[in-house]
Amino acid sequence: MNLRQDIHNSDIPVLCQACEARHRGLCGALEPKQLVALSRTSSRHRIHPGAELIGDSENIDSFSNILSGVVKLTKTLSDGRQQIVGLQFAPDFLGRPFRSESVINAQAATELSLCSFPKSVLERMIHESPGFERRLLRQALNELDEARDWMVTLGRKTAGEKVASFLVRIARNIDPEAAANGASATFDLPLTRADIADFLGLTIETVSRQLTKLRTEGVIGIENNRRVNVHNMERLEARSGR
Amino acid sequence: MNLRQDIHNSDIPVLCQACEARHRGLCGALEPKQLVALSRTSSRHRIHPGAELIGDSENIDSFSNILSGVVKLTKTLSDGRQQIVGLQFAPDFLGRPFRSESVINAQAATELSLCSFPKSVLERMIHESPGFERRLLRQALNELDEARDWMVTLGRKTAGEKVASFLVRIARNIDPEAAANGASATFDLPLTRADIADFLGLTIETVSRQLTKLRTEGVIGIENNRRVNVHNMERLEARSGR
DNA sequence: CGCGTGTTTGAAGGCGCTCAACCGCTGTGG
DNA sequence: CCACAGCGGTTGAGCGCCTTCAAACACGCG
């Protein structure tokens, strides 16, 4: 385990030195002295699955970088029907700038580690550092691309294709090169069956049935309910509708 | 019809003086001299319904402001199934910065008027004007909010609720205050039944049936196939699932 | 051991799709 | 002037996928 040797690494706050957000996330846009300022007002949190990070129509007064774990963004209709409208992974930025009240719920899907800072600090960063805003814009556009991809899945795919699409998406996030090579991949699902159903616009039962169908047909293996082995990514993708 | 009296209105290019994009859109972020530079390289286009503005996996080399009309953003699966993943109205900005190839199709849904400029100019504007980038970020975040709202509709609502939600959304865009007051509103649908179906993840037949259902139950009136009269927005919204 | 939570499996029913015919309007050409 | 084709939309009949309701199962924990 050797630390990256950056120029002037010594100027960088200890907490930030090995932080993924600084390498691939938002903080990569910041100068050492800005990092120092940010780290002074930021705090790390460890959060358990199921904990609510922000609720619908609550005031937005802090933002976070996701250091590890998965966050689910959900929306709920008045009669209780629920839909997951976004999944965020490390080192994503979490929060909605330029809005006083949240229009979604954010909940920890897994064990979670966050680096949080208050709204005022975000606003200062935005004004002081153009690169910071650029990163926010890039992430927003990427999330928009993903959301639109998912709209096709929700609107036009069958249950079987939806479940396959979901597995492909998770696999890509956890094991990118295996996914790219069409090879095999083993990983833990970050979501329960209920979450997967809410993500796909299906019922728990349908998700379960489609998963066992993929298993009996030899496309995937299932151990532990959570742990999945995709024997052949190419074959899984062929079932995802594309 | 009196032109807005801005300070130094005379410094602003003639074409831009009455342009909505300068008042509510992207160009509002620009200084007069930047407007002059932009207007030198930009050109106005009039486009007929059905014309393709950009295709999937084509190179992105220009961007536009929508001056009037409606643009539909679509995605298509390999077997032809299609989904509309976004609708854009004046004075929205049209295009995907920071990406060499498009991942969607953009098509004129109605008669359209655009103000287009090349990629290089956009990139210069982004670097020269922080306000410009801020506007892009705001629009991207708003589109993301809308997309997520729509994911709930696609994933969790019934056909009847989907059609009602669609009408509410259109009404809000065309007659905002009527929509807010729960009053009545009359307008032309910017989409054909086929487009509405692709927007809602339904078939043409189901859309048609749900519209006639709303008509026979006295919630809306239909003339001309395109022209719709919402007798009571409140009653329509009650059917949209919320 | 019993309880709780998450998951699987089964049987029955309904919502939205598929297939097909028809309607109304428009433009075109004999 | 009428016949006809083309297009968008409506309406009907039957079916299939996914949901609903219900029960059983697996695993962990007090």
Side-chain angles (χ1 to χ4, degrees), chain B residues 10-52:
Chain B
S10 53
D11 297 345
I12 294 171
V14 183
L15 266 178
C16 303
Q17 281 186 22
C19 179
E20 212 185 349
R22 192 172 62 84
H23 292 127
R24 299 195 297 122
L26 257 200
C27 297
L30 300 178
E31 301 292 321
K33 66 174 186 190
Q34 292 175 307
L35 265 182
V36 171
L38 179 58
S39 73
R40 233 196 302 276
T41 54
S42 67
S43 59
R44 295 202 172 193
H45 302 277
R46 182 150 279 282
I47 293 168
H48 295 302
E52 186 174 281

mmCIF file of all heavy atoms in Angstrom, chain B residues 10-52:
data_model
loop_
_atom_site.group_PDB
_atom_site.id
_atom_site.type_symbol
_atom_site.label_atom_id
_atom_site.label_comp_id
_atom_site.label_asym_id
_atom_site.label_seq_id
_atom_site.Cartn_x
_atom_site.Cartn_y
_atom_site.Cartn_z
ATOM 1 N N SER B 10 -28.182 49.535 -27.436
ATOM 2 C CA SER B 10 -27.627 49.784 -28.764
ATOM 3 C C SER B 10 -26.364 48.961 -29.024
ATOM 4 O O SER B 10 -26.003 48.720 -30.166
ATOM 5 C CB SER B 10 -27.324 51.269 -28.928
ATOM 6 O OG SER B 10 -26.514 51.690 -27.840
ATOM 7 N N ASP B 11 -25.707 48.499 -27.949
ATOM 8 C CA ASP B 11 -24.509 47.703 -28.138
ATOM 9 C C ASP B 11 -24.829 46.255 -28.503
ATOM 10 O O ASP B 11 -23.946 45.489 -28.874
ATOM 11 C CB ASP B 11 -23.681 47.690 -26.846
ATOM 12 C CG ASP B 11 -23.196 49.079 -26.493
ATOM 13 O OD1 ASP B 11 -23.256 49.946 -27.387
ATOM 14 O OD2 ASP B 11 -22.791 49.280 -25.341
ATOM 15 N N ILE B 12 -26.087 45.893 -28.376
ATOM 16 C CA ILE B 12 -26.466 44.505 -28.555
ATOM 17 C C ILE B 12 -26.867 44.243 -30.000
ATOM 18 O O ILE B 12 -27.574 45.039 -30.603
ATOM 19 C CB ILE B 12 -27.627 44.165 -27.605
ATOM 20 C CG1 ILE B 12 -27.134 44.256 -26.156
ATOM 21 C CG2 ILE B 12 -28.208 42.806 -27.898
ATOM 22 C CD1 ILE B 12 -28.219 44.167 -25.138
ATOM 23 N N PRO B 13 -26.386 43.137 -30.562
ATOM 24 C CA PRO B 13 -26.716 42.810 -31.959
ATOM 25 C C PRO B 13 -28.218 42.867 -32.204
ATOM 26 O O PRO B 13 -29.003 42.456 -31.349
ATOM 27 C CB PRO B 13 -26.186 41.385 -32.114
ATOM 28 C CG PRO B 13 -25.102 41.262 -31.103
ATOM 29 C CD PRO B 13 -25.507 42.140 -29.963
ATOM 30 N N VAL B 14 -28.598 43.345 -33.371
ATOM 31 C CA VAL B 14 -30.012 43.497 -33.690
ATOM 32 C C VAL B 14 -30.780 42.196 -33.505
ATOM 33 O O VAL B 14 -31.855 42.163 -32.897
ATOM 34 C CB VAL B 14 -30.174 43.985 -35.153
ATOM 35 C CG1 VAL B 14 -31.644 44.205 -35.472
ATOM 36 C CG2 VAL B 14 -29.384 45.261 -35.368
ATOM 37 N N LEU B 15 -30.172 41.120 -34.009
ATOM 38 C CA LEU B 15 -30.854 39.831 -33.945
ATOM 39 C C LEU B 15 -31.140 39.410 -32.504
ATOM 40 O O LEU B 15 -32.128 38.744 -32.219
ATOM 41 C CB LEU B 15 -29.987 38.753 -34.614
ATOM 42 C CG LEU B 15 -30.291 38.473 -36.091
ATOM 43 C CD1 LEU B 15 -29.319 37.436 -36.617
ATOM 44 C CD2 LEU B 15 -31.726 37.997 -36.252
ATOM 45 N N CYS B 16 -30.261 39.797 -31.607
ATOM 46 C CA CYS B 16 -30.386 39.354 -30.218
ATOM 47 C C CYS B 16 -31.349 40.214 -29.400
ATOM 48 O O CYS B 16 -31.807 39.805 -28.328
ATOM 49 C CB CYS B 16 -29.018 39.378 -29.531
ATOM 50 S SG CYS B 16 -27.769 38.376 -30.369
ATOM 51 N N GLN B 17 -31.642 41.420 -29.898
ATOM 52 C CA GLN B 17 -32.359 42.373 -29.044
ATOM 53 C C GLN B 17 -33.689 41.868 -28.530
ATOM 54 O O GLN B 17 -34.038 42.063 -27.378
ATOM 55 C CB GLN B 17 -32.534 43.707 -29.790
ATOM 56 C CG GLN B 17 -31.255 44.537 -29.744
ATOM 57 C CD GLN B 17 -31.451 45.922 -30.337
ATOM 58 O OE1 GLN B 17 -32.565 46.416 -30.410
ATOM 59 N NE2 GLN B 17 -30.357 46.530 -30.750
ATOM 60 N N ALA B 18 -34.452 41.215 -29.397
ATOM 61 C CA ALA B 18 -35.768 40.738 -28.966
ATOM 62 C C ALA B 18 -35.759 39.248 -28.679
ATOM 63 O O ALA B 18 -36.811 38.627 -28.558
ATOM 64 C CB ALA B 18 -36.804 41.053 -30.042
ATOM 65 N N CYS B 19 -34.538 38.667 -28.576
ATOM 66 C CA CYS B 19 -34.435 37.200 -28.483
ATOM 67 C C CYS B 19 -34.698 36.727 -27.067
ATOM 68 O O CYS B 19 -34.155 37.263 -26.099
ATOM 69 C CB CYS B 19 -33.054 36.746 -28.931
ATOM 70 S SG CYS B 19 -32.832 34.979 -28.817
ATOM 71 N N GLU B 20 -35.512 35.702 -26.984
ATOM 72 C CA GLU B 20 -35.878 35.180 -25.682
ATOM 73 C C GLU B 20 -34.691 34.538 -24.968
ATOM 74 O O GLU B 20 -34.600 34.555 -23.749
ATOM 75 C CB GLU B 20 -37.006 34.160 -25.837
ATOM 76 C CG GLU B 20 -37.942 34.139 -24.654
ATOM 77 C CD GLU B 20 -38.965 33.027 -24.795
ATOM 78 O OE1 GLU B 20 -39.063 32.441 -25.884
ATOM 79 O OE2 GLU B 20 -39.649 32.746 -23.810
ATOM 80 N N ALA B 21 -33.779 33.974 -25.767
ATOM 81 C CA ALA B 21 -32.618 33.309 -25.167
ATOM 82 C C ALA B 21 -31.765 34.301 -24.378
ATOM 83 O O ALA B 21 -31.074 33.937 -23.440
ATOM 84 C CB ALA B 21 -31.774 32.637 -26.255
ATOM 85 N N ARG B 22 -31.835 35.565 -24.773
ATOM 86 C CA ARG B 22 -31.044 36.550 -24.050
ATOM 87 C C ARG B 22 -31.724 36.933 -22.737
ATOM 88 O O ARG B 22 -31.080 37.355 -21.785
ATOM 89 C CB ARG B 22 -30.840 37.794 -24.916
ATOM 90 C CG ARG B 22 -29.788 38.759 -24.351
ATOM 91 C CD ARG B 22 -29.483 39.847 -25.333
ATOM 92 N NE ARG B 22 -30.663 40.642 -25.613
ATOM 93 C CZ ARG B 22 -31.078 41.665 -24.869
ATOM 94 N NH1 ARG B 22 -30.424 41.994 -23.782
ATOM 95 N NH2 ARG B 22 -32.146 42.341 -25.199
ATOM 96 N N HIS B 23 -33.038 36.801 -22.702
ATOM 97 C CA HIS B 23 -33.746 37.200 -21.489
ATOM 98 C C HIS B 23 -33.884 36.060 -20.489
ATOM 99 O O HIS B 23 -33.619 36.207 -19.308
ATOM 100 C CB HIS B 23 -35.124 37.761 -21.853
ATOM 101 C CG HIS B 23 -35.041 39.065 -22.577
ATOM 102 N ND1 HIS B 23 -35.665 39.303 -23.781
ATOM 103 C CD2 HIS B 23 -34.366 40.194 -22.274
ATOM 104 C CE1 HIS B 23 -35.381 40.537 -24.164
ATOM 105 N NE2 HIS B 23 -34.596 41.094 -23.287
ATOM 106 N N ARG B 24 -34.295 34.898 -20.980
ATOM 107 C CA ARG B 24 -34.506 33.804 -20.033
ATOM 108 C C ARG B 24 -33.541 32.653 -20.264
ATOM 109 O O ARG B 24 -33.517 31.694 -19.496
ATOM 110 C CB ARG B 24 -35.953 33.288 -20.136
ATOM 111 C CG ARG B 24 -36.995 34.376 -19.809
ATOM 112 C CD ARG B 24 -38.365 33.755 -19.552
ATOM 113 N NE ARG B 24 -38.883 33.076 -20.725
ATOM 114 C CZ ARG B 24 -39.222 31.794 -20.772
ATOM 115 N NH1 ARG B 24 -39.086 31.043 -19.706
ATOM 116 N NH2 ARG B 24 -39.698 31.268 -21.881
ATOM 117 N N GLY B 25 -32.751 32.706 -21.362
ATOM 118 C CA GLY B 25 -31.906 31.571 -21.711
ATOM 119 C C GLY B 25 -30.439 31.805 -21.459
ATOM 120 O O GLY B 25 -30.050 32.663 -20.668
ATOM 121 N N LEU B 26 -29.631 31.042 -22.139
ATOM 122 C CA LEU B 26 -28.193 31.040 -21.961
ATOM 123 C C LEU B 26 -27.552 32.393 -22.160
ATOM 124 O O LEU B 26 -26.666 32.804 -21.415
ATOM 125 C CB LEU B 26 -27.564 30.082 -22.979
ATOM 126 C CG LEU B 26 -27.107 28.717 -22.522
ATOM 127 C CD1 LEU B 26 -26.118 28.195 -23.520
ATOM 128 C CD2 LEU B 26 -26.512 28.782 -21.144
ATOM 129 N N CYS B 27 -27.984 33.102 -23.214
ATOM 130 C CA CYS B 27 -27.296 34.328 -23.612
ATOM 131 C C CYS B 27 -27.434 35.429 -22.578
ATOM 132 O O CYS B 27 -26.724 36.429 -22.635
ATOM 133 C CB CYS B 27 -27.794 34.801 -24.969
ATOM 134 S SG CYS B 27 -27.427 33.613 -26.291
ATOM 135 N N GLY B 28 -28.348 35.273 -21.629
ATOM 136 C CA GLY B 28 -28.481 36.251 -20.561
ATOM 137 C C GLY B 28 -27.208 36.371 -19.744
ATOM 138 O O GLY B 28 -27.005 37.346 -19.031
ATOM 139 N N ALA B 29 -26.334 35.374 -19.842
ATOM 140 C CA ALA B 29 -25.098 35.388 -19.070
ATOM 141 C C ALA B 29 -23.991 36.173 -19.767
ATOM 142 O O ALA B 29 -22.913 36.360 -19.203
ATOM 143 C CB ALA B 29 -24.630 33.954 -18.815
ATOM 144 N N LEU B 30 -24.250 36.620 -20.980
ATOM 145 C CA LEU B 30 -23.165 37.210 -21.777
ATOM 146 C C LEU B 30 -23.160 38.745 -21.741
ATOM 147 O O LEU B 30 -24.206 39.385 -21.697
ATOM 148 C CB LEU B 30 -23.293 36.735 -23.228
ATOM 149 C CG LEU B 30 -23.204 35.224 -23.431
ATOM 150 C CD1 LEU B 30 -23.383 34.872 -24.887
ATOM 151 C CD2 LEU B 30 -21.889 34.680 -22.916
ATOM 152 N N GLU B 31 -21.970 39.301 -21.784
ATOM 153 C CA GLU B 31 -21.784 40.739 -21.915
ATOM 154 C C GLU B 31 -22.068 41.148 -23.363
ATOM 155 O O GLU B 31 -21.945 40.312 -24.266
ATOM 156 C CB GLU B 31 -20.327 41.110 -21.585
ATOM 157 C CG GLU B 31 -19.883 40.711 -20.199
ATOM 158 C CD GLU B 31 -20.602 41.519 -19.123
ATOM 159 O OE1 GLU B 31 -20.802 42.724 -19.345
ATOM 160 O OE2 GLU B 31 -20.969 40.923 -18.087
ATOM 161 N N PRO B 32 -22.412 42.422 -23.571
ATOM 162 C CA PRO B 32 -22.675 42.877 -24.940
ATOM 163 C C PRO B 32 -21.582 42.486 -25.930
ATOM 164 O O PRO B 32 -21.882 41.969 -27.010
ATOM 165 C CB PRO B 32 -22.754 44.400 -24.778
ATOM 166 C CG PRO B 32 -23.287 44.590 -23.402
ATOM 167 C CD PRO B 32 -22.694 43.474 -22.585
ATOM 168 N N LYS B 33 -20.332 42.662 -25.552
ATOM 169 C CA LYS B 33 -19.269 42.356 -26.529
ATOM 170 C C LYS B 33 -19.182 40.855 -26.818
ATOM 171 O O LYS B 33 -18.835 40.442 -27.914
ATOM 172 C CB LYS B 33 -17.915 42.899 -26.057
ATOM 173 C CG LYS B 33 -17.360 42.234 -24.817
ATOM 174 C CD LYS B 33 -15.946 42.721 -24.506
ATOM 175 C CE LYS B 33 -15.363 41.931 -23.344
ATOM 176 N NZ LYS B 33 -14.115 42.488 -22.832
ATOM 177 N N GLN B 34 -19.538 40.058 -25.829
ATOM 178 C CA GLN B 34 -19.563 38.613 -26.073
ATOM 179 C C GLN B 34 -20.726 38.242 -26.986
ATOM 180 O O GLN B 34 -20.623 37.362 -27.834
ATOM 181 C CB GLN B 34 -19.677 37.852 -24.751
ATOM 182 C CG GLN B 34 -18.431 37.979 -23.874
ATOM 183 C CD GLN B 34 -18.619 37.315 -22.527
ATOM 184 O OE1 GLN B 34 -19.589 37.595 -21.831
ATOM 185 N NE2 GLN B 34 -17.703 36.441 -22.160
ATOM 186 N N LEU B 35 -21.848 38.943 -26.768
ATOM 187 C CA LEU B 35 -23.003 38.726 -27.631
ATOM 188 C C LEU B 35 -22.656 39.039 -29.081
ATOM 189 O O LEU B 35 -23.041 38.310 -30.003
ATOM 190 C CB LEU B 35 -24.174 39.617 -27.189
ATOM 191 C CG LEU B 35 -25.200 39.016 -26.246
ATOM 192 C CD1 LEU B 35 -26.298 40.015 -25.965
ATOM 193 C CD2 LEU B 35 -25.781 37.742 -26.811
ATOM 194 N N VAL B 36 -21.924 40.116 -29.266
ATOM 195 C CA VAL B 36 -21.520 40.491 -30.620
ATOM 196 C C VAL B 36 -20.683 39.378 -31.239
ATOM 197 O O VAL B 36 -20.922 38.946 -32.368
ATOM 198 C CB VAL B 36 -20.715 41.814 -30.598
ATOM 199 C CG1 VAL B 36 -20.120 42.077 -31.974
ATOM 200 C CG2 VAL B 36 -21.607 42.961 -30.171
ATOM 201 N N ALA B 37 -19.717 38.883 -30.459
ATOM 202 C CA ALA B 37 -18.853 37.814 -30.962
ATOM 203 C C ALA B 37 -19.664 36.558 -31.288
ATOM 204 O O ALA B 37 -19.485 35.929 -32.334
ATOM 205 C CB ALA B 37 -17.774 37.482 -29.920
ATOM 206 N N LEU B 38 -20.584 36.221 -30.387
ATOM 207 C CA LEU B 38 -21.389 35.022 -30.601
ATOM 208 C C LEU B 38 -22.285 35.173 -31.831
ATOM 209 O O LEU B 38 -22.385 34.270 -32.659
ATOM 210 C CB LEU B 38 -22.250 34.737 -29.363
ATOM 211 C CG LEU B 38 -23.172 33.518 -29.456
ATOM 212 C CD1 LEU B 38 -22.375 32.253 -29.744
ATOM 213 C CD2 LEU B 38 -23.963 33.331 -28.161
ATOM 214 N N SER B 39 -22.911 36.351 -31.950
ATOM 215 C CA SER B 39 -23.876 36.519 -33.036
ATOM 216 C C SER B 39 -23.175 36.502 -34.392
ATOM 217 O O SER B 39 -23.790 36.210 -35.412
ATOM 218 C CB SER B 39 -24.649 37.826 -32.865
ATOM 219 O OG SER B 39 -23.821 38.929 -33.179
ATOM 220 N N ARG B 40 -21.877 36.809 -34.407
ATOM 221 C CA ARG B 40 -21.156 36.790 -35.669
ATOM 222 C C ARG B 40 -21.019 35.369 -36.203
ATOM 223 O O ARG B 40 -21.005 35.140 -37.411
ATOM 224 C CB ARG B 40 -19.769 37.400 -35.475
ATOM 225 C CG ARG B 40 -19.456 38.525 -36.461
ATOM 226 C CD ARG B 40 -17.972 38.843 -36.504
ATOM 227 N NE ARG B 40 -17.419 39.234 -35.209
ATOM 228 C CZ ARG B 40 -17.486 40.488 -34.719
ATOM 229 N NH1 ARG B 40 -18.097 41.422 -35.400
ATOM 230 N NH2 ARG B 40 -16.966 40.770 -33.548
ATOM 231 N N THR B 41 -20.915 34.410 -35.282
ATOM 232 C CA THR B 41 -20.703 33.037 -35.730
ATOM 233 C C THR B 41 -21.971 32.191 -35.638
ATOM 234 O O THR B 41 -21.944 31.009 -35.941
ATOM 235 C CB THR B 41 -19.626 32.351 -34.861
ATOM 236 O OG1 THR B 41 -20.012 32.490 -33.499
ATOM 237 C CG2 THR B 41 -18.276 32.977 -35.090
ATOM 238 N N SER B 42 -23.057 32.798 -35.198
ATOM 239 C CA SER B 42 -24.284 32.014 -35.062
ATOM 240 C C SER B 42 -25.217 32.289 -36.233
ATOM 241 O O SER B 42 -25.130 33.323 -36.892
ATOM 242 C CB SER B 42 -24.985 32.361 -33.749
ATOM 243 O OG SER B 42 -25.461 33.682 -33.791
ATOM 244 N N SER B 43 -26.115 31.339 -36.466
ATOM 245 C CA SER B 43 -27.050 31.501 -37.578
ATOM 246 C C SER B 43 -28.407 30.953 -37.186
ATOM 247 O O SER B 43 -28.505 29.966 -36.451
ATOM 248 C CB SER B 43 -26.532 30.765 -38.812
ATOM 249 O OG SER B 43 -26.367 29.399 -38.506
ATOM 250 N N ARG B 44 -29.430 31.603 -37.684
ATOM 251 C CA ARG B 44 -30.787 31.161 -37.366
ATOM 252 C C ARG B 44 -31.283 30.174 -38.414
ATOM 253 O O ARG B 44 -30.994 30.310 -39.594
ATOM 254 C CB ARG B 44 -31.727 32.363 -37.314
ATOM 255 C CG ARG B 44 -31.365 33.292 -36.174
ATOM 256 C CD ARG B 44 -32.535 34.138 -35.792
ATOM 257 N NE ARG B 44 -32.227 34.877 -34.569
ATOM 258 C CZ ARG B 44 -33.141 35.505 -33.850
ATOM 259 N NH1 ARG B 44 -34.410 35.489 -34.225
ATOM 260 N NH2 ARG B 44 -32.800 36.144 -32.757
ATOM 261 N N HIS B 45 -32.035 29.189 -37.942
ATOM 262 C CA HIS B 45 -32.590 28.182 -38.844
ATOM 263 C C HIS B 45 -34.062 28.008 -38.564
ATOM 264 O O HIS B 45 -34.496 28.112 -37.422
ATOM 265 C CB HIS B 45 -31.903 26.829 -38.628
ATOM 266 C CG HIS B 45 -30.442 26.868 -38.833
ATOM 267 N ND1 HIS B 45 -29.867 26.766 -40.072
ATOM 268 C CD2 HIS B 45 -29.426 27.012 -37.951
ATOM 269 C CE1 HIS B 45 -28.547 26.842 -39.943
ATOM 270 N NE2 HIS B 45 -28.258 26.985 -38.661
ATOM 271 N N ARG B 46 -34.785 27.717 -39.607
ATOM 272 C CA ARG B 46 -36.186 27.330 -39.453
ATOM 273 C C ARG B 46 -36.278 25.877 -39.915
ATOM 274 O O ARG B 46 -35.786 25.521 -40.978
ATOM 275 C CB ARG B 46 -37.075 28.245 -40.305
ATOM 276 C CG ARG B 46 -38.551 27.965 -40.178
ATOM 277 C CD ARG B 46 -39.363 29.222 -40.376
ATOM 278 N NE ARG B 46 -39.414 30.027 -39.169
ATOM 279 C CZ ARG B 46 -40.209 29.748 -38.122
ATOM 280 N NH1 ARG B 46 -41.004 28.705 -38.154
ATOM 281 N NH2 ARG B 46 -40.212 30.505 -37.047
ATOM 282 N N ILE B 47 -36.900 25.048 -39.086
ATOM 283 C CA ILE B 47 -36.860 23.606 -39.330
ATOM 284 C C ILE B 47 -38.256 23.020 -39.248
ATOM 285 O O ILE B 47 -39.058 23.420 -38.397
ATOM 286 C CB ILE B 47 -35.920 22.932 -38.306
ATOM 287 C CG1 ILE B 47 -34.481 23.383 -38.579
ATOM 288 C CG2 ILE B 47 -36.020 21.433 -38.369
ATOM 289 C CD1 ILE B 47 -33.518 23.029 -37.494
ATOM 290 N N HIS B 48 -38.530 22.061 -40.135
ATOM 291 C CA HIS B 48 -39.872 21.480 -40.191
ATOM 292 C C HIS B 48 -39.994 20.259 -39.288
ATOM 293 O O HIS B 48 -39.005 19.591 -39.004
ATOM 294 C CB HIS B 48 -40.209 21.109 -41.633
ATOM 295 C CG HIS B 48 -40.295 22.304 -42.545
ATOM 296 N ND1 HIS B 48 -41.167 23.341 -42.325
ATOM 297 C CD2 HIS B 48 -39.605 22.644 -43.651
ATOM 298 C CE1 HIS B 48 -41.021 24.259 -43.263
ATOM 299 N NE2 HIS B 48 -40.067 23.863 -44.087
ATOM 300 N N PRO B 49 -41.216 19.973 -38.869
ATOM 301 C CA PRO B 49 -41.450 18.828 -37.977
ATOM 302 C C PRO B 49 -40.897 17.541 -38.588
ATOM 303 O O PRO B 49 -41.018 17.313 -39.793
ATOM 304 C CB PRO B 49 -42.978 18.753 -37.880
ATOM 305 C CG PRO B 49 -43.459 20.120 -38.202
ATOM 306 C CD PRO B 49 -42.469 20.686 -39.166
ATOM 307 N N GLY B 50 -40.301 16.712 -37.764
ATOM 308 C CA GLY B 50 -39.787 15.438 -38.225
ATOM 309 C C GLY B 50 -38.320 15.473 -38.604
ATOM 310 O O GLY B 50 -37.663 14.437 -38.632
ATOM 311 N N ALA B 51 -37.787 16.655 -38.895
ATOM 312 C CA ALA B 51 -36.391 16.755 -39.286
ATOM 313 C C ALA B 51 -35.479 16.356 -38.130
ATOM 314 O O ALA B 51 -35.740 16.708 -36.980
ATOM 315 C CB ALA B 51 -36.070 18.179 -39.738
ATOM 316 N N GLU B 52 -34.411 15.620 -38.456
ATOM 317 C CA GLU B 52 -33.481 15.179 -37.428
ATOM 318 C C GLU B 52 -32.409 16.235 -37.206
ATOM 319 O O GLU B 52 -31.779 16.693 -38.158
ATOM 320 C CB GLU B 52 -32.841 13.856 -37.861
ATOM 321 C CG GLU B 52 -31.969 13.243 -36.793
ATOM 322 C CD GLU B 52 -31.464 11.864 -37.196
ATOM 323 O OE1 GLU B 52 -32.230 10.893 -37.081
ATOM 324 O OE2 GLU B 52 -30.300 11.780 -37.629
#
